[in-house]
Amino acid sequence: MNGIMVSASTGVMNSLLGKLATLMGEEFAKLKNLRKEVKHISDELSSMKDALESLADVDTLDKHTASWRDTVREMSYDIEDVIDDFMCKIGEKSKKTGFIQDTIQRLKTSRGRHQIAGQTGDIKKLVRETSERRERYKIDIPKSGNVAVDQRVVALYEESSKVVGMDGPTNMLVNWLKDEEKKLKIVSVIGFGGLGKTTHANQVYHKLEGKFQCGAFLPVSQKSNMPKLLHSLLTQLGCGQYCHDCELNVLLDQVRENLKNKRYLVIIDDLWDVSAWNIIKCAFPENNLGSRLIVTTRIKTVAGACCFGHHEHILEMKPLSEEDSRKLFFGRIFCSEKACPGQLRDVSVEILKKCGGLPLAIISISSLLASDRSNQKERWKHVLNSLGSVSGTNLTLEAMRQILNLSYKNLPHHLKTCFLYLGMFLEDSEIYRHELVSLWVSEGFVSKAHGQNPKQIAISYFNELVNMSLIQPVQIDMHGSVLTCKVHDMLLDLILYKSAEQNFITVVDNPEAITGQLQKPRRMLFNLDGATLPRDVNMSQVRSFANWRGSTNIPSLAEFKYLRVFIADFSSSSVDDNRKIDLTGLCKLYQLRHIQIEGCDNCQLPTQIRGLQKLETFDIDGSCIPMDIFHLPCLLSLHIFHLPCLLPEGIGKMKYLQRLRWFDTLHTSIDSIKGLGELTNLRLLYLRTGFSEDVDMDVLNSSLGKLCNLDSLNVFSPDSWIPEALTLSPPPPNLMGLSMMRISRVPNWIGELHNLQSLHITVDKLDKDDVGILAELPALMDLELTFNRALEETIVIYGTSFAILKRFVVYWTVMPQLTFQAGAMPKLQSLSLPLNARGWKQDESTTPTGIEHLLALERISVGIGSETESEQRSAESAIRSAINMHPGHAHIKIDIQCY
């Protein structure tokens, strides 16, 4: 956890130790007593931090050890708050002489010495008492162990007659494995925990085991003991004698020797990383006897490594269909759906929605309801409610939680923290990747050490969670990157359960239920609507506050003191103009890193925020922009979702700014346009411009040309075309994404954007030369064209053009003739087109021609506009006929929508 300031398991220990190191630095050398006291505290806390990290890997703790762990973690927050207060008070008076010099000067006074002595004494006493408590209860740090009962074992003994929805995948896997190929074949089964990978692999094993001379089932985990795993393999293979204490390579040789002349079938279940595979695969010789390996995993990269070069041998498990979910659920309780009492049908539907097609979840819940032998609707509703909370205590529910917990407990510490933070979002909400990774950085979950780019590191964390199926992709770009995501309901239950255990996130949705329970909430998801918090809830130590539901009864900002993140959505709130929500107190929360507010028209915002010197993100949808916003040295992201956007003067001071939305040239000065060119760290820019005497296009072009790190530019003109005088020549060298709404035609300078990967433009006309400019862009993979009026001439996509384009989308009212020549768009995978069928005449068909030349095409989407069903049917028939000419039409996914 090097460089990571905050984690769910260790609290803010790393951040705290860093601040203590500052107080022990050379600048404080003259304050010997302070350095001595701080060093003692730091040494004790370092030891405690190591203990917390070790305890985080232990599955079950006795009550004294668990209590001590929680005390230490919470103590780290309390001590950091004290130090932050001290540094803030000193820093307020050090603006002329500098922080360190002024600190030393103040501490030389008797009052200053008395103040710091009292504070360090309190901290030292707190640390000493915590250490003594560990000694008093003889708390030792136990070694990491395994979960008491691995619920995957149950899947091995599930009767095949009870398995539902497995026939299709099972038959497919059996066909892959029983062919005549003599070489060793490896197939991977990938899917989220609880989808039935183990059950599925086991069914295949039993179907085929008679065709092999020997076989074995190897359950693996991320922290597996490799020698122990190989011992188990040798035992299952019937090796009576083998060396128990020999080296790993000797064990591998023994397995290979045993298998070299045998046709074998082995299941390697729940493999977590490629490094483990690189060892395990050495045990299996290539003996040309038709041997087979089945690997189950939750991670795409692991599946790919196992089937290197043969991705057709990867089977991705999907959740059960609604029909199969009902069949499994009702079959286990009533033997059939018809036998379900009528009063239970509605609640059954809701329970199945919560299960999300996960076989394990359905089996666990149905077993619970079947064993209860109660058909009372109230009992079933209680079970439904328990699925959406953390109060389920029944053993069967615990078994379900345990299998889901496997995905969590094997995560590295930094991913556990990032994963738990998903609990700050509402159930079923769509989460933007850029927003989530920004919050991870602001919260301190991502290292900023050694010159690393924290945002890129955070994106890699996000991708890891996606690969482990802990995040469900919703929107994916043409590179395969996930732009938005969701969290499965069952996993959200696990997140909130774990968060409550570690006081990481507190969900406030019922004031009566939380009375007296919240002593020191650290992060709060505020879901109260029409109610207020009890007075005994202490808000002063809340670090993060999210109010997505727009409750106007939020606690007064005066109650917060150490807030780092403030998120609120008041866009749907009903607020009287004379009683707007008072958010002016935000300017006093000196630790704030992230402000995100929607519905600013219902709020009163501060006019000055210069005191928020640590603020990294300021994201609002209102026009009340603080006049001193350009005096924030750490600001990385400035999003103003309001047009016109009236930014104050001084934008050139924001040297570290990376994201700016919007910069409105129609409502800003020439000096501000010049200042835009000073933002050389800017990576994303939303620009509003148009024809105006007040906009000097030469100055704007000069500023844009200086943005050497810009990789995404969005240009918009509200009432007219974007001026042709706007140019990017020379272009920003790293520009990869460009969106231009309302240009008369394709400008020549676009042809200079050699790194451009994504282009979205709205044009008035498009001729052969314009197509030629776009066709020669060497890096273009995503192209969206929108036309405001009908085009008179045919658009021809010539052979060898658009060499690496993968996605082509066209928007227009009247479809012109579009022709693809042989060799055109050789990498195109997705094609989206409109088709106007109003007044349709078959002999005047405007269906595109040459679709059969798009050899890489995987998906085609067509929107058909028609006035009659006859027009609709004729148009649909024509487009299907055109697609049927494609040599791979049987594998093309076709999506036709009519309007």
Side-chain angles (χ1 to χ4, degrees), residues 42-71:
S42 182
D43 289 345
E44 283 291 323
L45 290 178
S46 293
S47 175
M48 291 181 182
K49 182 193 76 115
D50 294 340
L52 287 180
E53 289 180 348
S54 298
L55 290 174
D57 293 324
V58 179
D59 297 315
T60 305
L61 297 175
D62 64 79
K63 65 179 182 179
H64 291 305
T65 304
S67 176
W68 182 83
R69 174 203 60 194
D70 295 344
T71 299

Side-chain angles (χ1 to χ4, degrees), residues 578-629:
N578 298 322
R579 299 185 62 185
K580 290 191 173 184
I581 301 163
D582 184 7
L583 300 181
T584 56
L586 287 173
C587 65
K588 298 179 181 179
L589 302 176
Y590 69 97
Q591 289 286 355
L592 271 173
R593 270 80 162 168
H594 186 104
I595 294 176
Q596 181 178 328
I597 305 169
E598 289 187 52
C600 288
D601 290 343
N602 294 322
C603 309
Q604 184 178 357
L605 297 177
T607 56
Q608 294 188 333
I609 55 173
R610 188 188 296 241
L612 307 183
Q613 292 291 291
K614 298 179 180 181
L615 192 68
E616 297 173 349
T617 297
F618 188 73
D619 186 338
I620 65 171
D621 65 355
S623 58
C624 299
I625 305 168
M627 297 303 296
D628 58 353
I629 194 165

Side-chain angles (χ1 to χ4, degrees), residues 774-831:
L774 303 179
E776 297 303 317
L777 290 171
L780 191 64
M781 290 190 282
D782 176 39
L783 176 61
E784 287 190 10
L785 293 177
T786 303
F787 301 96
N788 285 332
R789 64 183 182 86
L791 300 184
E792 297 177 358
E793 56 186 272
T794 299
I795 297 177
V796 180
I797 309 298
Y798 293 97
T800 72
S801 61
F802 296 97
I804 65 170
L805 194 72
K806 293 184 178 180
R807 177 176 175 267
F808 183 30
V809 180
V810 180
Y811 299 106
W812 43 34
T813 304
V814 180
M815 174 81 170
Q817 184 64 43
L818 180 62
T819 298
F820 299 96
Q821 291 190 346
M825 298 184 175
K827 302 287 186 180
L828 191 71
Q829 298 173 356
S830 176
L831 174 65

Side-chain angles (χ1 to χ4, degrees), residues 329 333-334 340-341 343-344 347-348 351 365-383:
F329 181 77
I333 304 174
F334 304 112
C340 175
Q343 75 269 19
L344 298 179
V347 68
S348 298
I351 290 174
I365 299 303
S366 58
S367 298
L368 166 64
L369 294 171
S371 63
D372 186 59
R373 298 184 182 278
S374 171
N375 291 339
Q376 294 182 354
K377 190 172 183 178
E378 292 74 18
R379 168 61 176 158
W380 283 48
K381 281 189 174 181
H382 174 74
V383 171

